[in-house]
Amino acid sequence: MNDVKARRKMRNVTRLSEIGEFPLIARLVRALPTEDGVTVGPGDDCAVVECDGATLLLTCDAAIEGIHFRREWAGAEAIGWKSGAAALSDIAAMGGRPRFMLITLACPPEEDVAFLEALYHGLAAVAARCGAVIVGGDTARSPSGVMVDIMIVGEAAGPRILRRTGARPGNLLAVTGRPGQSAAALIALQRGMDPGELAQAHFHPVPRILEGQWLAAREGVHAMIDLSDGLLQDAGHLAEAAWMAVDVDPDRIPISDAMRRLVEAAGEDPAAVALAGGEDYELILAVDPADFDAMQGAFQDRFEVPLTAVGNFTAEWQGARVRGAAPEKAGYDHFKG
Amino acid sequence: MNDVKARRKMRNVTRLSEIGEFPLIARLVRALPTEDGVTVGPGDDCAVVECDGATLLLTCDAAIEGIHFRREWAGAEAIGWKSGAAALSDIAAMGGRPRFMLITLACPPEEDVAFLEALYHGLAAVAARCGAVIVGGDTARSPSGVMVDIMIVGEAAGPRILRRTGARPGNLLAVTGRPGQSAAALIALQRGMDPGELAQAHFHPVPRILEGQWLAAREGVHAMIDLSDGLLQDAGHLAEAAWMAVDVDPDRIPISDAMRRLVEAAGEDPAAVALAGGEDYELILAVDPADFDAMQGAFQDRFEVPLTAVGNFTAEWQGARVRGAAPEKAGYDHFKG
């Protein structure tokens, strides 16, 4: 034991990296009081509260330079769009309607004003695309790098707000669109290849706002979450929230020809990218199999986007598996990294 | 012109430090769309919106290590309390009722978990003191230092929401409590002196939530703002928002015996500290002089806190003056500072 470690031990200091993100959150929120107006507290995509007679969905999402984005990989406008999309997608995941955004923007004094304007333009553009407006925020000085924090107030779009808890044994795991396209584009960019039509999925992902509202209105949908960390990890969150397991079949994930060609040309496995790739902002849901076929056709007709069953929920074990086998790598942790 | 400057010039880059905070905000928000639901957009203490039939006050406020706080000067619990108080005070400044808070907490992986827990405890404590609850948030990794961003949803407490615009020529400038106590305590701490009873004002300031609601309900009050940057600067904001001027008389600012003794022992001028010291979270307001005397007595009776006229609004010039003379130093700018 070296000196530093010995000193820490004596002072009884626990570093965040020793416990990780989810135990930290559990420690922070365990002593929080609550009140009658709080329908959903910490732990879901949004908090849901009753305020002055209204049902509100509240969420916030930070994007920090060097952690969540690097300017070598994306222009300022795309960084703003992607950061806003990540936050707006949390409202989509519960079937809500985003209305108002506050933006906290922290940066060093030597920052280029044009970069900040372009980033803000991207934020305003994705807000407008999703029916929301920026109504205020805060500007602050940061010691280094740009930090954006996005807070959204949404409202219930119908009588039902869909939580991540609620999946039942025998439910199907369904996914909107074609997951993995953002990750596939990134793989191409990192290898100096042209991502072609997948660039849109990476630089300008569009949160599934109307799709989320439509799905939340269907009785056969029992739980929903957006794809931010990757299909397998987020499916695990749905399972875990219901004290269950989920078994994913990668062969059933819809993969476009363009993505397959690009990922194979880069020497990677398209199914693995579809399973692990994050930042797609598609939705995944737990659906009653008796309702799925009719829902699938109606969804495709309404949005011209596929809705595909890619796995099953079961109470027979815990966690997320791939065709019955535990995946090699556990989920990403921001602090254990 | 050295090489770096020449290169910048060629690339036509404008650094944030060249334009400062308020011109940055003006550039960011100028192209923002708006909609019918937005009653007050960027530029006041809170945004005010109509959402699902409710009138909401929305605000966010960031506190960044090394910029807004240093752990040598305050413990984690006090850092959390002060950060939360700054945000809650924005709701007080419009006469609103704070209800729900979201907390974004960014920190490096090596951060001490006990520090984060104590900081969060301070946030939850000041929220409870003001009648609000924490309902969610985000945790993220930062490259260095702790960053807290606090977002608050409040509701209108009565029929009237008080803006910072609205001061009229001939109005009195009034202040709640005894401004400058937080700054006086800091002066003492920096000199190794015991701040005594002023420690509370510095480490655990209590936002004037109920006082703000009471004042917003009085017809004679025309505009209000909270004291975060210092009496003179914030009075200037009230004047500027009404395209007017304000003249402050430092001799009329109520200064406690404890503050006078402490500041004089430190070799400083108590009136100057009362005029310039920030982070008090008292309220300043523009009041019709015909209503002031009755209001002053009733306020004192209700809250056991003084309400004092310390200046006058006038249309004869622009900006903030001290007994008719322009102050030596312009206001603090986060990016030029």
Side-chain angles (χ1 to χ4, degrees), chain A residues 303-326:
Chain A
F303 298 107
E304 299 184 350
V305 166
L307 180 70
T308 315
V310 297
N312 300 278
F313 287 90
T314 169
E316 285 172 36
W317 67 81
Q318 295 253 321
R321 297 195 185 176
V322 179
R323 277 193 298 260

Side-chain angles (χ1 to χ4, degrees), chain A residues 186-250:
Chain A
L186 182 61
I187 288 171
L189 290 164
Q190 287 170 332
R191 285 165 174 72
M193 298 158 61
D194 176 6
E197 64 191 71
L198 301 189
Q200 157 91 7
H202 185 67
F203 292 118
H204 295 98
V206 179
R208 299 287 189 194
I209 304 292
L210 294 178
E211 294 88 339
Q213 291 171 12
W214 190 93
L215 290 165
R218 308 285 298 211
E219 289 295 329
V221 180
H222 295 153
M224 192 157 67
I225 191 175
D226 68 317
L227 280 192
S228 50
D229 296 335
L231 198 156
L232 189 62
Q233 185 169 349
D234 288 317
H237 291 150
L238 275 187
E240 194 182 5
W243 299 90
M244 273 203 304
V246 65
D247 194 21
V248 182
D249 182 354

Side-chain angles (χ1 to χ4, degrees), chain A residues 14 16-17 109 111 113 149 151, chain B residues 14 16-17 109 111 113 149 151:
Chain A
T14 305
L16 181 46
S17 54
E111 187 51 61
V113 174
D149 193 26
M151 178 227 127
Chain B
T14 305
L16 181 47
S17 53
E111 186 52 61
V113 174
D149 192 27
M151 179 226 123

Side-chain angles (χ1 to χ4, degrees), chain A residues 56-334:
Chain A
L56 306 178
L57 287 77
L58 309 177
T59 185
C60 61
D61 209 15
I64 296 175
E65 184 167 3
I67 309 292
H68 301 87
F69 66 85
R70 294 175 198 278
R71 33 188 120 183
E72 307 90 273
W73 296 352
E77 194 274 343
I79 290 168
W81 179 291
K82 282 164 71 84
S83 304
L88 288 157
S89 183
D90 284 332
I91 303 282
M94 298 186 90
R97 181 186 294 127
R99 293 291 311 277
F100 306 104
M101 287 169 64
L102 297 180
I103 308 295
T104 291
L105 184 59
C107 60
E110 62 273 17
E111 187 51 61
D112 176 3
V113 174
F115 178 88
L116 299 173
E117 285 188 277
L119 187 150
Y120 212 80
H121 180 77
L123 281 163
V126 73
R129 179 72 175 75
C130 294
V133 288
I134 298 173
V135 294
D138 190 22
T139 52
R141 184 172 172 158
S142 79
S144 71
V146 171
M147 193 278 304
V148 186
D149 193 26
I150 297 148
M151 178 227 127
I152 308 185
V153 177
E155 62 192 10
R160 198 153 170 254
I161 287 170
L162 209 48
R163 300 193 52 175
R164 63 168 66 180
T165 55
R168 301 174 195 174
N171 276 182
L172 298 173
L173 172 72
V175 64
T176 64
R178 295 183 170 81
Q181 301 212 89
S182 174
L186 182 61
I187 288 171
L189 290 164
Q190 287 170 332
R191 285 165 174 72
M193 298 158 61
D194 176 6
E197 64 191 71
L198 301 189
Q200 157 91 7
H202 185 67
F203 292 118
H204 295 98
V206 179
R208 299 287 189 194
I209 304 292
L210 294 178
E211 294 88 339
Q213 291 171 12
W214 190 93
L215 290 165
R218 308 285 298 211
E219 289 295 329
V221 180
H222 295 153
M224 192 157 67
I225 191 175
D226 68 317
L227 280 192
S228 50
D229 296 335
L231 198 156
L232 189 62
Q233 185 169 349
D234 288 317
H237 291 150
L238 275 187
E240 194 182 5
W243 299 90
M244 273 203 304
V246 65
D247 194 21
V248 182
D249 182 354
D251 291 343
R252 293 160 72 185
I253 303 175
I255 295 173
S256 68
D257 291 342
M259 171 168 158
R260 189 175 299 279
R261 274 197 306 274
L262 198 67
V263 174
E264 286 177 351
E268 303 266 349
D269 173 21
V273 172
L275 213 52
E279 301 193 354
D280 274 306
Y281 308 118
E282 296 293 351
L283 300 173
I284 57 172
L285 40 146
V287 196
D288 191 324
D291 294 337
F292 183 70
D293 285 348
M295 193 185 301
Q296 184 178 38
F299 185 89
Q300 167 81 45
D301 289 347
R302 170 76 181 77
F303 298 107
E304 299 184 350
V305 166
L307 180 70
T308 315
V310 297
N312 300 278
F313 287 90
T314 169
E316 285 172 36
W317 67 81
Q318 295 253 321
R321 297 195 185 176
V322 179
R323 277 193 298 260
E328 286 171 27
K329 188 179 174 293
Y332 179 76
D333 186 297
H334 291 287

Side-chain angles (χ1 to χ4, degrees), chain B:
Chain B
M1 192 182 286
N2 65 26
D3 273 6
V4 173
K5 276 196 182 153
R7 263 205 310 277
R8 273 187 199 166
K9 201 83 186 171
M10 281 173 62
R11 287 173 51 216
N12 239 338
V13 168
T14 305
R15 303 286 153 185
L16 181 47
S17 53
E18 297 169 40
I19 67 168
E21 183 176 12
F22 297 107
L24 170 71
I25 294 170
R27 285 202 196 192
L28 296 182
V29 306
R30 68 181 164 192
L32 286 184
T34 187
E35 60 140 296
D36 291 347
V38 183
T39 309
V40 179
D44 215 310
D45 290 280
C46 302
V48 182
V49 300
E50 301 295 320
C51 188
D52 194 16
T55 300
L56 306 178
L57 287 76
L58 308 177
T59 186
C60 61
D61 210 15
I64 297 174
E65 183 167 5
I67 310 290
H68 302 87
F69 65 86
R70 294 175 199 278
R71 33 188 119 183
E72 307 91 272
W73 296 351
E77 194 274 343
I79 291 168
W81 179 291
K82 281 165 71 83
S83 305
L88 288 156
S89 183
D90 284 332
I91 302 280
M94 298 186 90
R97 180 187 294 127
R99 294 291 310 278
F100 306 104
M101 287 169 65
L102 297 181
I103 307 296
T104 291
L105 184 59
C107 60
E110 62 272 19
E111 186 52 61
D112 175 2
V113 174
F115 178 88
L116 299 173
E117 285 189 277
L119 187 150
Y120 211 80
H121 182 76
L123 281 164
V126 73
R129 180 72 175 74
C130 293
V133 286
I134 298 173
V135 294
D138 190 21
T139 52
R141 183 172 173 159
S142 79
S144 71
V146 171
M147 193 280 303
V148 186
D149 192 27
I150 297 147
M151 179 226 123
I152 308 184
V153 177
E155 61 193 10
R160 198 153 170 254
I161 286 169
L162 210 48
R163 301 194 52 178
R164 62 170 66 180
T165 54
R168 301 174 195 174
N171 276 181
L172 298 172
L173 171 73
V175 64
T176 64
R178 295 183 170 80
Q181 301 211 90
S182 174
L186 182 61
I187 288 170
L189 290 165
Q190 286 170 333
R191 284 163 174 72
M193 298 158 62
D194 177 5
E197 66 191 69
L198 302 189
Q200 158 92 7
H202 185 67
F203 292 118
H204 294 98
V206 179
R208 298 287 189 192
I209 304 291
L210 295 177
E211 293 88 338
Q213 292 170 12
W214 190 94
L215 290 165
R218 308 286 296 210
E219 289 295 328
V221 180
H222 296 154
M224 191 156 69
I225 191 174
D226 68 317
L227 281 192
S228 50
D229 297 333
L231 199 156
L232 189 63
Q233 185 169 350
D234 287 317
H237 291 151
L238 274 187
E240 194 181 5
W243 298 91
M244 274 202 304
V246 66
D247 193 22
V248 182
D249 182 354
D251 292 344
R252 294 160 71 184
I253 303 175
I255 294 172
S256 69
D257 290 343
M259 171 169 158
R260 189 176 299 281
R261 274 198 307 274
L262 198 67
V263 174
E264 285 176 351
E268 303 266 349
D269 173 21
V273 172
L275 212 51
E279 301 192 354
D280 273 307
Y281 308 118
E282 296 292 351
L283 300 173
I284 57 171
L285 39 146
V287 197
D288 191 324
D291 295 337
F292 184 69
D293 285 349
M295 192 183 303
Q296 184 178 38
F299 185 89
Q300 167 82 44
D301 288 348
R302 171 75 181 76
F303 298 107
E304 299 185 351
V305 166
L307 180 71
T308 315
V310 298
N312 300 278
F313 288 90
T314 169
E316 286 173 34
W317 68 81
Q318 295 255 319
R321 298 193 184 177
V322 178
R323 277 193 297 261
E328 285 171 29
K329 188 178 173 295
Y332 178 75
D333 186 298
H334 291 286
F335 297 109
K336 292 176 144 177

